[in-house]
Amino acid sequence: MGRHREFDVEKALDAALCVFWRKGYEGASYADLTEATGVERPALYSAFGNKEALFRQALARYDEQYLDYIPEALQLPTARQVAAHILYNAADLNTRYPNHTGCLGINGALAGSDEAEPVRQALIDFRAAGQAQLRERFERAKAEGDLPKTAKSDALAAFVMAVTHGMAVQAKAGFSRDMLGAVAEQALSTWPTGSSTLSGKSSEP
Amino acid sequence: MGRHREFDVEKALDAALCVFWRKGYEGASYADLTEATGVERPALYSAFGNKEALFRQALARYDEQYLDYIPEALQLPTARQVAAHILYNAADLNTRYPNHTGCLGINGALAGSDEAEPVRQALIDFRAAGQAQLRERFERAKAEGDLPKTAKSDALAAFVMAVTHGMAVQAKAGFSRDMLGAVAEQALSTWPTGSSTLSGKSSEP
DNA sequence: GCGGTTTAGTAATGGCCATTATGAAAAAAG
DNA sequence: CTTTTTTCATAATGGCCATTACTAAACCGC
């Protein structure tokens, strides 16, 4: 029993997510959040908890709703396809919405006041989890002969992630989808292969 | 005539620079700045103007004091050496000071409140200037036959910058100098060569 | 339709923010 | 030594911040 909620919690979370995406954790004020969600402050608190809790839920939703290309990528047959799928989809996502360019995982909190340290750490862990998945996928690729045994899977994973992070910074600076695509292409050129040569171009746009 | 300044303006600027480097523009409060510089608020205002003006002066000093490896790099004989010098020195700088890892050009202001928009734009312009220099250097390299005529100098410059930005993000997340060095090495292993093959390793550590 | 319970919205609270008024202190000029 | 000019430091100002009492309204089971 009791009164029903008058707003759609999921829609409010989506709206808050976009605010965080654009302004980051500390840059987003409750004035911004209430305006974007159409929900008054106390209702946001009762539905999501405080600002940090709201951000963490937004991050989880971001992972589900926007980063589904990562599990997709990990299932592709070759390491090179995995990397290509990630890089081109990142270029895409980072430039798809003009109102919130770049990546929530980067925009969220890079530097800031000490108060935001827990959120910063959460984002570090979030990115590290993705990188670990990628490294493991590359290790499998080595076992399968898809990558040379001399390849360093942790360095390769860090490299792919570094390029996506760099593209996120550039997207936030206004770089076009095409420019980021060119960056991705360059990152993929001469990818190490099991059979020593054949550096070929990407199969993706 | 009149009273002398009791603090060293340059030292105060250096201290403020480190605060911005660590916390970014919005994350740095005047409480932080007065503590780090040992200078009271009104003295900072009279010496540097407001917070935005102080940040811009800190950025200029950062360019002079810490990014001298970029003009150095541009004078090296080959495009590959230019890129290698930039990437390895960036890996170094990003991890040299445990109290302010990463890069001021990235940490300074990526996302944030609307109020910080001018600072964000200043940093975008700052990074774009570096990227433009690099692109021009690569065009020269094409003219000199040091890069293939088919190479896209703007994409190459954007790629090198993307990797440095990504390394800055990773450094802020606590990555070691060695890990960033491995990222740089991987970035250089994709480098196109004039003579079609021979993707060789870097000459730098 | 009434009592219990949950939500909505207004408006308050205390804290930190950048910025600056104010007046004391210090140094050079006359 | 006095006057003028500049810097210093304390402390105030107004605004925005996240968070939350508090009151009114809406719904469910009875």
Side-chain angles (χ1 to χ4, degrees):
Chain A
M1 53 182 113
R3 184 170 174 176
H4 301 322
R5 207 159 245 147
E6 286 185 359
F7 63 94
D8 183 329
V9 177
E10 218 169 50
K11 281 195 172 183
L13 184 56
D14 283 334
L17 160 54
C18 292
V19 174
F20 285 130
W21 196 337
R22 175 187 173 85
K23 301 194 165 191
Y25 174 67
E26 291 197 292
S29 73
Y30 266 90
D32 297 326
L33 293 168
T34 55
E35 187 188 345
T37 58
V39 174
E40 295 300 324
R41 278 161 244 239
L44 288 177
Y45 276 89
S46 84
F48 302 106
N50 70 3
K51 194 185 177 186
E52 181 177 336
L54 173 55
F55 180 84
R56 295 181 117 100
Q57 290 167 72
L59 182 61
R61 186 155 179 85
Y62 179 72
D63 195 21
E64 291 168 11
Q65 296 282 117
Y66 296 99
L67 299 188
D68 47 332
Y69 64 83
I70 293 184
E72 253 177 49
L74 294 172
Q75 291 183 331
L76 293 176
T78 69
R80 192 173 199 289
Q81 281 174 296
V82 171
H85 195 75
I86 288 174
L87 287 168
Y88 284 108
N89 276 281
D92 220 45
L93 179 61
N94 284 335
T95 55
R96 191 183 306 152
Y97 310 100
N99 283 341
H100 41 89
T101 51
C103 166
L104 177 62
I106 307 291
N107 288 352
L110 191 55
S113 78
D114 292 339
E115 200 190 23
E117 179 57 29
V119 170
R120 220 152 34 234
Q121 193 59 49
L123 286 170
I124 289 174
D125 295 343
F126 178 78
R127 298 193 301 258
Q131 185 165 326
Q133 286 185 310
L134 197 53
R135 192 201 60 225
E136 286 163 20
R137 179 64 186 82
F138 288 160
E139 277 171 14
R140 195 188 102 195
K142 280 167 68 174
E144 290 171 352
D146 169 32
L147 277 178
K149 293 233 162 55
T150 57
K152 291 186 289 185
S153 38
D154 55 346
L156 277 179
F159 169 70
V160 171
M161 294 297 281
V163 174
T164 64
H165 298 343
M167 290 195 303
V169 170
Q170 292 175 326
K172 186 71 179 159
F175 283 40
S176 70
R177 156 70 231 240
D178 285 354
M179 197 69 206
L180 296 192
V183 168
E185 184 184 331
Q186 181 61 39
L188 290 167
S189 72
T190 68
W191 192 260
T193 60
S195 49
S196 82
T197 53
L198 211 112
S199 68
K201 290 207 169 185
S202 157
S203 57
E204 306 228 13
Chain B
M1 55 182 113
R3 184 173 175 175
H4 302 320
R5 205 160 246 145
E6 286 184 0
F7 63 94
D8 183 331
V9 177
E10 218 169 50
K11 280 195 172 185
L13 184 55
D14 283 332
L17 160 54
C18 291
V19 174
F20 285 130
W21 194 338
R22 175 185 173 85
K23 301 196 165 190
Y25 174 67
E26 292 197 293
S29 73
Y30 266 91
D32 298 325
L33 294 167
T34 55
E35 186 188 344
T37 59
V39 174
E40 293 301 323
R41 279 160 243 238
L44 288 176
Y45 276 89
S46 84
F48 302 107
N50 70 3
K51 195 183 178 185
E52 179 176 337
L54 173 56
F55 180 84
R56 297 183 116 100
Q57 289 167 74
L59 182 61
R61 185 154 179 86
Y62 179 73
D63 195 21
E64 292 167 11
Q65 297 283 116
Y66 296 99
L67 300 188
D68 47 333
Y69 65 81
I70 294 183
E72 254 176 50
L74 296 172
Q75 290 182 331
L76 293 175
T78 70
R80 192 172 199 287
Q81 282 175 295
V82 170
H85 195 76
I86 287 175
L87 288 169
Y88 284 108
N89 276 281
D92 219 46
L93 180 62
N94 284 336
T95 55
R96 191 181 307 151
Y97 310 100
N99 282 340
H100 41 87
T101 50
C103 166
L104 177 63
I106 306 292
N107 289 349
L110 191 55
S113 78
D114 291 340
E115 199 189 24
E117 178 57 30
V119 170
R120 222 154 30 236
Q121 192 59 50
L123 285 170
I124 290 174
D125 295 344
F126 178 77
R127 298 193 300 257
Q131 186 165 326
Q133 286 184 310
L134 197 53
R135 194 201 59 228
E136 285 163 20
R137 178 65 186 81
F138 289 159
E139 277 170 15
R140 197 189 102 195
K142 281 167 68 174
E144 292 171 351
D146 169 33
L147 278 179
K149 292 235 163 53
T150 58
K152 291 188 286 184
S153 39
D154 54 347
L156 277 179
F159 169 71
V160 171
M161 295 296 282
V163 175
T164 64
H165 298 343
M167 290 194 304
V169 171
Q170 293 176 325
K172 186 72 179 161
F175 282 41
S176 70
R177 153 70 233 240
D178 284 354
M179 197 69 205
L180 297 192
V183 169
E185 185 184 330
Q186 182 61 39
L188 289 167
S189 79
T190 69
W191 202 253
T193 60
S195 49
S196 82
T197 53
L198 211 113
S199 69
K201 291 206 167 184
S202 157
S203 58
E204 305 228 13

